[in-house]
Amino acid sequence: MLYLVGLGLADERDITVKGLEVVKRAERVYLEAYTSILHVGKDKLESLYERPVIVADREMVESSSDEILEGADKADIAFLVVGDPFGATTHTDLVLRAQELSIPVKSIPNASILNAIGATGLQLYNFGQTVSMVFFTENWKPASFYDRIRENASIGLHTLMLLDIKVKEQSLENMARGRKTYEPPRYMTVMQCAQQMLEIEEEKKVHVYAEDSLAIGCARVGADDQQFACGTLKELCNIDLGAPLHSLVLLGKRAHELEKDYIKKFAVNEETFEESWKKYHGRNQ
């Protein structure tokens, strides 16, 4: 059996009892290590799980899936995924490859940013499509996500933005020269996301969101030191929420008064919070 085991969002203790039972009896244990991160290293996982953990980078998962699946028709193989196996990132390619080889597959669910974002106080029913924001470069500023943000906003729904991470990435020069030299890991911050969001708004000139639109910056959701900051996009361009991982929520106009009462405690500035709420949301109450 191939088991896809959700690890939750914070540390080695977030694994479920069912997931831990699978890990302890598995012949091999892999940790998917390129779509998200825990706040602890694999040594912490190995200590609690009492098993060696093999780090599976993007190249291994996408190009060497046979290595992961080897022997899974005769023994249990555990593939660990931060969050939920089928949450923000799906591993359908690996599952389909297993099915082609007649290897049974089972997933063990866990908390994902898609439901843990409720810790902001926003109602999950009021969220629309989730989007991803990637790092811009001087010559590459993809904005394919913008249409989904606009669709969400058109019916008053919040938008959860998942922020880019770069792990084991190669520079263009090293790729061209065939050198296996990797850049240091990078994790997008709320500050960078807010800045890029306003850049896109300026280029699109549609202005779904503006400098004074409310958003919530989120850091390390699910961890003991999780942090939220609610402010205008302009204010969030200058907010340092510390270590990764970060995400950002754009408030929809259907935001409820109960949501307001909850998120107000995260306000960067209560005066600008009230002004923006009245401008964009007050008329819906």
Side-chain angles (χ1 to χ4, degrees):
M1 179 82 75
L2 171 67
Y3 285 93
L4 275 65
V5 181
L7 293 182
L9 294 171
D11 57 39
E12 75 279 12
R13 298 168 299 162
D14 282 347
I15 192 170
T16 63
V17 173
K18 187 180 291 185
L20 186 57
E21 289 172 349
V22 167
V23 169
K24 283 184 175 291
R25 70 170 182 264
E27 184 170 288
R28 294 192 310 279
V29 180
Y30 293 92
L31 171 63
E32 189 265 86
Y34 64 92
T35 59
S36 190
I37 58 167
L38 289 175
H39 303 301
V40 295
K42 81 179 185 80
D43 57 318
K44 292 283 190 181
L45 275 64
E46 291 176 330
S47 177
L48 178 65
Y49 304 164
E50 299 177 337
R51 298 297 315 282
V53 173
I54 304 165
V55 175
D57 60 18
R58 184 188 298 273
E59 185 177 348
M60 175 182 283
V61 176
E62 294 183 350
S63 304
S64 305
S65 60
D66 287 350
E67 181 181 334
I68 295 172
L69 297 174
E70 185 179 357
D73 56 336
K74 301 180 180 67
D76 291 338
I77 305 298
F79 185 77
L80 311 183
V81 181
V82 177
D84 182 86
F86 296 107
T89 300
T90 60
H91 291 283
T92 50
D93 286 349
L94 186 62
V95 171
L96 290 172
R97 179 62 181 145
Q99 291 172 344
E100 287 174 3
L101 297 171
S102 299
I103 296 169
V105 179
K106 186 173 183 179
S107 65
I108 310 296
N110 207 323
S112 153
I113 187 63
L114 299 181
N115 56 10
I117 200 65
T120 57
L122 299 177
Q123 297 171 9
L124 295 180
Y125 290 123
N126 287 339
F127 278 82
Q129 303 167 87
T130 299
V131 304
S132 297
M133 173 74 85
V134 302
F135 281 110
F136 288 173
T137 67
E138 188 175 339
N139 301 314
W140 189 62
K141 297 181 180 180
S144 57
F145 63 86
Y146 189 80
D147 287 340
R148 281 178 283 165
I149 289 177
R150 181 162 49 187
E151 288 170 7
N152 290 345
S154 70
I155 51 176
L157 298 178
H158 311 312
T159 298
L160 169 61
M161 303 187 75
L162 305 179
L163 311 192
D164 200 5
I165 71 173
K166 298 291 188 186
V167 179
K168 207 173 180 181
E169 296 277 337
Q170 290 179 281
S171 67
L172 291 176
E173 181 183 353
N174 285 329
M175 288 178 64
R177 295 178 180 274
R179 294 187 298 224
K180 293 289 186 179
T181 303
Y182 301 100
E183 301 294 297
R186 290 191 297 149
Y187 306 96
M188 184 181 287
T189 64
V190 163
M191 186 185 307
Q192 292 168 316
C193 181
Q195 291 167 351
Q196 291 189 180
M197 183 65 198
L198 291 178
E199 273 190 60
I200 290 294
E201 286 290 0
E202 187 62 30
E203 287 185 12
K204 292 287 185 179
K205 301 191 183 304
V206 179
H207 300 306
V208 176
Y209 286 89
E211 287 189 347
D212 60 347
S213 299
L214 285 176
I216 303 176
C218 315
R220 302 171 300 283
V221 176
D224 293 338
D225 64 343
Q226 71 180 8
Q227 192 172 350
F228 302 111
C230 182
T232 64
L233 280 173
K234 185 176 182 179
E235 288 172 333
L236 293 182
C237 286
N238 298 293
I239 290 294
D240 182 1
L241 293 180
L245 291 169
H246 290 192
S247 52
L248 186 137
V249 178
L250 302 169
L251 259 64
K253 291 187 178 181
R254 276 170 48 184
H256 192 273
E257 194 71 26
L258 288 175
E259 293 176 299
K260 176 194 176 185
D261 292 343
Y262 200 100
I263 65 176
K264 187 175 180 179
K265 65 182 179 181
F266 305 130
V268 173
N269 181 303
E270 286 198 13
E271 185 176 339
T272 54
F273 174 87
E274 290 290 350
E275 289 174 358
S276 183
W277 182 272
K278 189 178 297 184
K279 179 176 180 180
Y280 293 106
H281 309 283
R283 60 179 175 273
N284 298 313
Q285 306 310 322

PDB file of all heavy atoms in Angstrom, residues 37 46 54 179 199 211 246:
ATOM      1  N   ILE A  37       6.513  23.579   4.072  1.00  0.00           N
ATOM      2  CA  ILE A  37       7.487  23.187   5.089  1.00  0.00           C
ATOM      3  C   ILE A  37       6.812  23.123   6.455  1.00  0.00           C
ATOM      4  O   ILE A  37       5.834  23.822   6.722  1.00  0.00           O
ATOM      5  CB  ILE A  37       8.670  24.170   5.180  1.00  0.00           C
ATOM      6  CG1 ILE A  37       8.168  25.597   5.487  1.00  0.00           C
ATOM      7  CG2 ILE A  37       9.511  24.146   3.917  1.00  0.00           C
ATOM      8  CD1 ILE A  37       9.251  26.563   5.906  1.00  0.00           C
ATOM      9  N   GLU A  46      12.018  12.220  12.783  1.00  0.00           N
ATOM     10  CA  GLU A  46      12.650  10.922  12.981  1.00  0.00           C
ATOM     11  C   GLU A  46      12.698  10.531  14.453  1.00  0.00           C
ATOM     12  O   GLU A  46      12.538   9.365  14.807  1.00  0.00           O
ATOM     13  CB  GLU A  46      14.067  10.936  12.398  1.00  0.00           C
ATOM     14  CG  GLU A  46      14.069  11.013  10.879  1.00  0.00           C
ATOM     15  CD  GLU A  46      15.464  11.133  10.297  1.00  0.00           C
ATOM     16  OE1 GLU A  46      16.343  11.713  10.983  1.00  0.00           O
ATOM     17  OE2 GLU A  46      15.682  10.673   9.168  1.00  0.00           O
ATOM     18  N   ILE A  54      13.214   9.906   4.486  1.00  0.00           N
ATOM     19  CA  ILE A  54      13.899  10.259   3.246  1.00  0.00           C
ATOM     20  C   ILE A  54      13.261  11.528   2.687  1.00  0.00           C
ATOM     21  O   ILE A  54      12.051  11.566   2.442  1.00  0.00           O
ATOM     22  CB  ILE A  54      13.776   9.127   2.208  1.00  0.00           C
ATOM     23  CG1 ILE A  54      14.316   7.812   2.774  1.00  0.00           C
ATOM     24  CG2 ILE A  54      14.490   9.502   0.911  1.00  0.00           C
ATOM     25  CD1 ILE A  54      13.909   6.582   1.962  1.00  0.00           C
ATOM     26  N   ARG A 179      24.941  22.656 -13.952  1.00  0.00           N
ATOM     27  CA  ARG A 179      25.561  22.552 -12.626  1.00  0.00           C
ATOM     28  C   ARG A 179      24.482  22.300 -11.574  1.00  0.00           C
ATOM     29  O   ARG A 179      23.474  23.004 -11.527  1.00  0.00           O
ATOM     30  CB  ARG A 179      26.322  23.835 -12.280  1.00  0.00           C
ATOM     31  CG  ARG A 179      27.532  24.071 -13.173  1.00  0.00           C
ATOM     32  CD  ARG A 179      28.357  25.240 -12.693  1.00  0.00           C
ATOM     33  NE  ARG A 179      27.630  26.500 -12.704  1.00  0.00           N
ATOM     34  CZ  ARG A 179      28.159  27.651 -13.150  1.00  0.00           C
ATOM     35  NH1 ARG A 179      29.391  27.689 -13.614  1.00  0.00           N
ATOM     36  NH2 ARG A 179      27.438  28.763 -13.117  1.00  0.00           N
ATOM     37  N   GLU A 199       1.031  46.135  -7.364  1.00  0.00           N
ATOM     38  CA  GLU A 199       1.654  46.264  -8.688  1.00  0.00           C
ATOM     39  C   GLU A 199       0.716  45.773  -9.777  1.00  0.00           C
ATOM     40  O   GLU A 199       0.540  46.415 -10.812  1.00  0.00           O
ATOM     41  CB  GLU A 199       2.956  45.444  -8.741  1.00  0.00           C
ATOM     42  CG  GLU A 199       4.196  46.154  -8.274  1.00  0.00           C
ATOM     43  CD  GLU A 199       5.446  45.337  -8.589  1.00  0.00           C
ATOM     44  OE1 GLU A 199       5.702  45.062  -9.779  1.00  0.00           O
ATOM     45  OE2 GLU A 199       6.141  44.951  -7.633  1.00  0.00           O
ATOM     46  N   GLU A 211      -5.292  50.403  -2.556  1.00  0.00           N
ATOM     47  CA  GLU A 211      -4.366  50.574  -1.431  1.00  0.00           C
ATOM     48  C   GLU A 211      -5.080  50.547  -0.089  1.00  0.00           C
ATOM     49  O   GLU A 211      -4.532  50.082   0.907  1.00  0.00           O
ATOM     50  CB  GLU A 211      -3.590  51.891  -1.558  1.00  0.00           C
ATOM     51  CG  GLU A 211      -2.518  51.890  -2.630  1.00  0.00           C
ATOM     52  CD  GLU A 211      -1.652  53.136  -2.566  1.00  0.00           C
ATOM     53  OE1 GLU A 211      -2.059  54.099  -1.859  1.00  0.00           O
ATOM     54  OE2 GLU A 211      -0.586  53.152  -3.209  1.00  0.00           O
ATOM     55  N   HIS A 246       3.951  32.256   5.175  1.00  0.00           N
ATOM     56  CA  HIS A 246       2.971  33.329   5.202  1.00  0.00           C
ATOM     57  C   HIS A 246       1.857  33.060   4.189  1.00  0.00           C
ATOM     58  O   HIS A 246       2.049  32.348   3.201  1.00  0.00           O
ATOM     59  CB  HIS A 246       3.634  34.657   4.842  1.00  0.00           C
ATOM     60  CG  HIS A 246       4.564  35.181   5.884  1.00  0.00           C
ATOM     61  ND1 HIS A 246       5.063  36.467   5.863  1.00  0.00           N
ATOM     62  CD2 HIS A 246       5.098  34.601   6.990  1.00  0.00           C
ATOM     63  CE1 HIS A 246       5.863  36.651   6.893  1.00  0.00           C
ATOM     64  NE2 HIS A 246       5.909  35.531   7.592  1.00  0.00           N
TER      65      HIS A 246
END
